[in-house]
Amino acid sequence: MQEKRRPTALELDKILLKLAEYANCEETKLRILNIKPAATFEETGRLLCLTSDAHSLTNRFGTPSIYGVKPCSDAVSRAKAGSMLGMRELLDAAYIFKTARGLISWKQQDGGEETSLNPLFDCLDANKPLEDDITRSIISEEELDDHASPELYDIRRKIRGAHAKVREQLEKMTRSQSYQKYLQEQIVTIRNGRFVVPVKAEHKNEIKGLVHDTSASGATLFIEPMSVVEQNNLIRELESREVHEINRILLELSARVGESAELLLNDYDIIIELDVIFSKSKLADKLRATVPKLVENGETNLKKARHPLINADKIVPIDIFLGGGFDTLVITGPNTGGKTVALKTLGLLTLMAQCGLMIPAGDESTVCFYPKVLADIGDEQSIEQSLSTFSGHMTNIVSILEQAASDTLVLIDELGAGTDPVEGAALAVAIISKLRERGAKIAATTHYAEMKVYALQTKGVENASCEFDVKTLRPTYRLLIGVPGRSNAFAISERLGLPLDVIEAAKSQVSHENSRFEDVVSGLEEARQKLEDEKTLAEKNRMEAEIAKSGANELREKLESESEKEIQRARDRAKGIVEQVRFKSEQLLNELEDLKKQKDKADFSATVNDVKASFKMYLRELEEEADPVTQKKKEHYRLPRPLKRGDTVLLTDFGSEGTVLSPADTNGYVQVQAGIIKTKVKLTSLRLVDDSGRKTTLAGGAVNTKGAIKSAKETASSEVDLRGFDSAEAILELNRFIDNSVLSNLKTVTVIHGKGTGALRNAVQAHLRRHRAVKSYRTGQYGEGESGVTIAELK
């Protein structure tokens, strides 16, 4: 009897009830509620492995569909004996095959990965032909499909035709004026499976036929007219044939189910077993559980363990370890401090693991396998058995002492309570000593100071306490192993308002030895809490430093990565520009080479050489400036004074002079006129020209701008020869020529284009017509070159 109640004392039955809520079949729920802890280490490992693999697979592929599978053993036995199964039983059998087929398909998602579940899935074997024949033939548990067989289809077609014929005859009668006065209602109905009409009782002799029923009042008789008796007889005959054919089909399907009996029963059993396993996986998700490491060396180490029946948001996780350096854990502390919860957590999580359940504890927790877990927790007082609380506990203790061995975990709550404190403490020490002699692993809660001293003085026995905050009068529910607990009775009483003289009188009654012991424990607790606070602060600082370091490293790596990317993008872009310019320049150089070959004039050859040299120099400059990382040397020039209207300035971007039309605006732009062109130029691109000396100072040294302009005027020509150019080249050269002419203040220029076909002349004159620097133009006259030249007047 006592052995039966220990899982109940540790509340394993409540865990199984929660597990049963996730079951999809009634049989699964029954199996879950009858789960017992595994009897061997190997079986426990196997069960945990099944749950772990199921949990892993469901996280990847979702939970397989197992819903409403019904028991089939009774139906299968009757089918094997040759009995006919009902439509519902046949549909249930087909659903088992369908569920098995769905499970096989679900497992195939893992690509044949080897797991502990493979043997179960490998034993599933669907019978799709039989499943299809049943589901195609049976529409519901009361109806067979017309197409279940050709014979059934033909019979039902004839029945429908006969029904239609009878109904048509009777409806014609109800519409007839000669019969309507005899009828109670103008309807056709059915009595005893035959079509009849309702006739008034007083006119029953007016319609010849068979009476099949009478209304409750007797005012109406339901008569089958003689004209439809033969047709009704045909319907009854067809219906009899229909029943015979339905039975034949069901009997045939039942025989096939009987032939597949072994396969069907095997599939059903595996489906239920898989439903149990996947229910465990669902509970693990609910509890945020993990798979513990299973050992049998007597060592249990639960990290951040939580009691699964207490709200996860309210409970404080605890660390519990037992075995290794000690075999007995004595837990002390005030009432409601969490001692019993800690004890139950240790026992319940051990039993859960042995049932193949994942446990609500942190990663790398270790659970020891115990063939026997013996517990005495709760009040065993029984009025019927005339047992006091103490007697009830002692009855349990006697049973535990009889069964305890080296492979046993013993859990005792409030050891020695319920009797004289001196005798109770002595009994508690003696019981613990006896259990240790048997080699059992023990965890016990107590209030006795003698037990604390015993734990301090005895090798292999360790103190533990449930932390209590005297300032708030609340437990923290933290389990502190290695620290004996205090009762805190005096401190709690003082906080609650008990007079100090009463408390002092109580303290005087406490023995000197006990008082000194409590003082030592109090000092240890204060030192521990101080060290705990310092450790918490140090850990917080360390975490903040780690976060800061990690953030700085991430930022540095991000900046380095972005910098490298930006540099590479800039280089790629510059390289593209250079390649494009190189291509166009080579193209132009080749064209000039072709022109050189076609021209024999010495001056034209020299011009081509000059242009080639100029383009090559320009290309080298582009290559030098292509890398954006290499910054151009900036000129450190500052205007000696703010610019004003009328100042002469040098436009450094164009190498030409201009006159300031208005001072710099708010955006730093100055309106300047260079020749006939008015434009806005950035203030930083202007250099003030000293009109007296006509000099401006640049970073590269002094430049005599007056001399530069004068040199430009001296070398400027008033005519340009475009012969040999195509239209596009000619326009480019013409634009350059006009710009130089404007800067040289030339008013009339001559454009030589030759006569030829007139295409070049038309292109030149069309461009001159649109050019904003050209005032007018005309074709050359006699002595000027006539139609071979165009004379343009500039603005």
Side-chain angles (χ1 to χ4, degrees):
M1 177 186 132
Q2 296 303 327
E3 184 65 28
K4 256 186 199 179
R5 74 156 300 291
R6 276 164 202 137
T8 304
L10 292 172
E11 301 177 302
L12 178 63
D13 57 323
K14 295 180 181 178
I15 294 297
L16 296 180
L17 281 172
K18 291 179 72 70
L19 177 60
E21 294 174 4
Y22 296 100
N24 296 301
C25 309
E26 290 301 320
E27 177 71 17
T28 307
K29 293 180 180 179
L30 292 175
R31 288 197 189 184
I32 287 173
L33 294 177
N34 288 306
I35 286 177
K36 297 291 186 293
T40 65
F41 177 80
E42 291 73 21
E43 178 64 10
T44 301
R46 187 186 75 85
L47 293 175
L48 278 174
C49 191
L50 288 171
T51 306
S52 175
D53 287 345
H55 192 254
S56 175
L57 288 172
T58 54
N59 285 338
R60 292 159 57 193
F61 308 117
T63 304
S65 178
I66 305 175
Y67 294 105
V69 177
K70 302 289 178 57
C72 63
S73 58
D74 181 60
V76 167
S77 298
R78 288 190 289 109
K80 286 181 69 176
S83 297
M84 183 182 73
L85 301 183
M87 296 185 194
R88 178 72 270 164
E89 292 172 316
L90 289 169
L91 287 174
D92 288 343
Y95 187 67
I96 291 173
F97 285 133
K98 180 181 179 182
T99 302
R101 186 162 50 83
L103 287 168
I104 294 170
S105 177
W106 179 87
K107 182 62 172 65
Q108 289 171 349
Q109 295 178 101
D110 67 0
E113 178 184 340
E114 191 64 35
T115 69
S116 60
L117 293 168
N118 282 23
L120 289 174
F121 281 97
D122 291 343
C123 288
L124 288 171
D125 192 1
N127 188 339
K128 195 168 189 305
L130 178 55
E131 175 198 337
D132 289 343
D133 287 345
I134 292 174
T135 54
R136 184 178 62 250
S137 300
I138 304 175
I139 297 174
S140 69
E141 58 185 80
E142 297 178 350
E143 184 179 1
L144 209 65
D145 191 88
D146 290 354
H147 296 86
S149 74
E151 178 68 17
L152 182 62
Y153 179 79
D154 185 59
I155 292 171
R156 286 184 174 177
R157 180 180 60 79
K158 290 178 180 179
I159 290 174
R160 286 191 292 269
H163 279 180
K165 191 172 182 179
V166 172
R167 189 175 289 278
E168 183 182 358
Q169 286 181 317
L170 293 179
E171 286 178 350
K172 188 182 293 183
M173 178 183 291
T174 60
R175 292 194 298 269
S176 171
Q177 294 292 332
S178 58
Y179 285 106
Q180 285 183 359
K181 58 186 176 182
Y182 305 135
L183 301 178
Q184 194 71 259
E185 293 181 86
Q186 297 178 18
I187 61 170
V188 177
T189 185
I190 296 176
R191 286 294 185 274
N192 299 323
R194 303 178 75 89
F195 286 93
V196 296
V197 290
V199 180
K200 295 176 182 177
E202 61 268 24
H203 297 299
K204 63 180 180 179
N205 295 323
E206 302 298 330
I207 297 180
K208 302 299 181 182
L210 304 175
V211 178
H212 285 281
D213 199 4
T214 305
S215 67
S217 63
T220 303
L221 300 178
F222 295 94
I223 297 177
E224 177 187 3
M226 294 303 296
S227 59
V228 297
V229 169
E230 185 177 347
Q231 200 66 29
N232 270 331
N233 287 341
L234 175 61
I235 292 173
R236 295 299 294 271
E237 180 185 348
L238 289 171
E239 287 176 345
S240 177
R241 288 174 57 191
E242 178 190 23
V243 171
H244 178 76
E245 179 63 14
I246 288 173
N247 289 340
R248 186 194 68 78
I249 293 170
L250 295 180
L251 197 59
E252 180 182 319
L253 292 173
S254 300
R256 292 175 64 185
V257 169
E259 292 170 1
S260 301
E262 186 176 346
L263 176 63
L264 194 63
L265 291 172
N266 179 69
D267 281 352
Y268 176 76
D269 194 57
I270 292 174
I271 288 168
I272 297 302
E273 186 172 353
L274 286 173
D275 195 22
V276 172
I277 294 169
F278 285 112
S279 296
K280 292 178 180 180
S281 171
K282 293 175 187 175
L283 180 63
D285 283 332
K286 176 68 175 179
L287 298 178
R288 302 197 296 274
T290 61
V291 180
K293 178 183 178 182
L294 187 67
V295 298
E296 53 180 345
N297 59 4
E299 295 184 15
T300 295
N301 187 359
L302 299 176
K303 301 177 180 180
K304 299 186 182 303
R306 307 180 308 276
H307 195 288
L309 296 177
I310 301 177
N311 191 321
D313 297 328
K314 296 180 180 179
I315 192 170
V316 177
I318 58 175
D319 295 337
I320 311 175
F321 52 92
L322 177 64
F326 55 92
D327 55 38
T328 303
L329 192 63
V330 176
I331 307 173
T332 53
N335 288 328
T336 72
K339 300 190 302 299
T340 304
V341 171
L343 205 62
K344 284 186 174 183
T345 300
L346 173 60
L348 180 56
L349 267 56
T350 300
L351 292 178
M352 284 177 65
Q354 291 178 203
C355 291
L357 292 169
M358 296 165 65
I359 62 173
D363 293 333
E364 299 181 359
S365 291
T366 301
V367 171
C368 178
F369 169 77
Y370 292 103
K372 288 186 285 188
V373 177
L374 307 177
D376 175 48
I377 300 174
D379 190 352
E380 291 298 315
Q381 184 172 358
S382 171
I383 296 175
E384 293 179 1
Q385 298 180 19
S386 300
L387 295 176
S388 67
T389 299
F390 178 75
S391 298
H393 281 300
M394 281 301 108
T395 301
N396 280 344
I397 297 297
V398 170
S399 175
I400 289 172
L401 285 170
E402 291 173 352
Q403 301 178 63
S406 59
D407 58 358
T408 307
L409 174 64
V410 177
L411 306 170
I412 304 177
D413 190 28
E414 298 295 347
L415 180 59
T419 186
D420 177 75
V422 176
E423 294 179 354
L427 274 173
V429 171
I431 291 168
I432 292 292
S433 298
K434 188 64 177 178
L435 289 170
R436 294 189 68 218
E437 286 178 13
R438 300 283 181 89
K441 298 296 183 292
I442 310 154
T445 67
T446 183
H447 283 287
Y448 295 135
E450 290 82 355
M451 287 294 296
K452 302 175 192 177
V453 175
Y454 172 74
L456 287 172
Q457 296 176 344
T458 307
K459 185 179 180 181
V461 181
E462 188 65 81
N463 269 305
S465 62
C466 289
E467 190 178 50
F468 191 87
D469 190 342
V470 180
K471 296 179 181 177
T472 61
L473 297 182
R474 290 183 180 178
T476 65
Y477 299 105
R478 293 179 60 203
L479 184 67
L480 308 173
I481 294 180
V483 180
R486 299 178 62 203
S487 65
N488 296 302
F490 294 147
I492 293 172
S493 300
E494 183 179 350
R495 292 279 295 173
L496 292 174
L498 190 68
L500 289 176
D501 57 337
V502 176
I503 294 172
E504 290 301 326
K507 287 181 178 180
S508 66
Q509 300 298 318
V510 179
S511 67
H512 181 64
E513 289 76 10
N514 280 343
S515 179
R516 287 187 59 195
F517 178 76
E518 288 293 331
D519 289 341
V520 170
V521 171
S522 177
L524 286 173
E525 178 63 13
E526 290 177 3
R528 186 200 61 78
Q529 288 188 354
K530 184 177 179 181
L531 289 173
E532 188 79 15
D533 292 342
E534 291 177 355
K535 180 183 176 183
T536 302
L537 180 60
E539 184 66 19
K540 180 182 177 183
N541 292 336
R542 187 187 67 79
M543 289 297 295
E544 290 176 352
E546 287 290 336
I547 292 171
K549 181 181 178 182
S550 175
N553 288 338
E554 288 179 5
L555 180 60
R556 178 176 56 78
E557 291 173 1
K558 183 179 178 182
L559 290 174
E560 288 177 355
S561 175
E562 290 179 353
S563 174
E564 286 295 327
K565 289 179 182 178
E566 192 62 35
I567 290 171
Q568 190 58 44
R569 279 197 295 267
R571 285 181 175 143
D572 291 343
R573 184 169 177 271
K575 184 178 179 181
I577 294 171
V578 170
E579 289 298 327
Q580 185 179 8
V581 172
R582 183 190 299 277
F583 172 76
K584 291 184 178 179
S585 299
E586 290 292 339
Q587 193 176 37
L588 179 59
L589 290 173
N590 290 335
E591 291 176 359
L592 290 175
E593 285 289 348
D594 291 341
L595 288 174
K596 181 179 178 182
K597 292 177 183 178
Q598 296 173 11
K599 288 290 183 178
D600 296 329
K601 293 174 62 176
D603 58 341
F604 184 78
S605 178
T607 301
V608 170
N609 289 333
D610 290 343
V611 171
K612 182 184 286 188
S614 175
F615 267 98
K616 286 185 177 179
M617 182 178 68
Y618 175 64
L619 187 60
R620 284 196 298 273
E621 290 176 354
L622 279 177
E623 290 175 343
E624 290 174 359
E625 296 179 0
D627 190 347
V629 180
T630 306
Q631 299 292 331
K632 292 174 67 177
K633 184 178 178 182
K634 294 184 178 180
E635 299 174 357
H636 300 286
Y637 173 82
R638 293 183 62 184
L639 291 167
R641 60 176 176 79
L643 296 178
K644 60 183 180 179
R645 181 180 175 83
D647 283 341
T648 302
V649 291
L650 176 67
L651 286 70
T652 59
D653 291 342
F654 303 102
S656 61
E657 276 191 354
T659 303
V660 176
L661 299 179
S662 64
D665 59 18
T666 55
N667 294 324
Y669 285 91
V670 179
Q671 190 172 25
V672 178
Q673 180 164 358
I676 63 170
I677 301 172
K678 291 182 181 179
T679 184
K680 282 191 173 182
V681 183
K682 194 71 174 175
L683 186 62
T684 55
S685 298
L686 299 178
R687 304 292 182 264
L688 183 62
V689 176
D690 184 2
D691 286 337
S692 60
R694 300 296 292 165
K695 288 184 179 180
T696 184
T697 303
L698 299 178
V703 177
N704 189 324
T705 57
K706 183 175 180 180
I709 297 299
K710 181 179 179 181
S711 174
K713 286 183 179 180
E714 288 176 352
T715 57
S717 173
S718 63
E719 67 179 34
V720 60
D721 189 352
L722 302 180
R723 287 174 295 182
F725 289 85
D726 61 22
S727 297
E729 294 170 343
I731 297 305
L732 289 173
E733 181 62 22
L734 180 59
N735 281 335
R736 186 189 63 78
F737 169 71
I738 293 174
D739 289 342
N740 287 336
S741 298
V742 170
L743 291 173
S744 301
N745 290 325
L746 296 178
K747 297 300 182 181
T748 303
V749 294
T750 301
V751 181
I752 303 171
H753 43 66
K755 297 180 181 179
T757 62
L760 184 57
R761 178 181 68 246
N762 293 337
V764 167
Q765 291 184 354
H767 186 67
L768 291 174
R769 183 165 54 251
R770 295 190 300 269
H771 202 292
R772 59 184 179 179
V774 176
K775 184 177 181 182
S776 62
Y777 67 90
R778 61 180 174 81
T779 303
Q781 299 176 354
Y782 179 78
E784 293 177 327
E786 299 179 346
S787 62
V789 301
T790 296
I791 310 300
E793 184 180 352
L794 304 180
K795 295 179 181 178

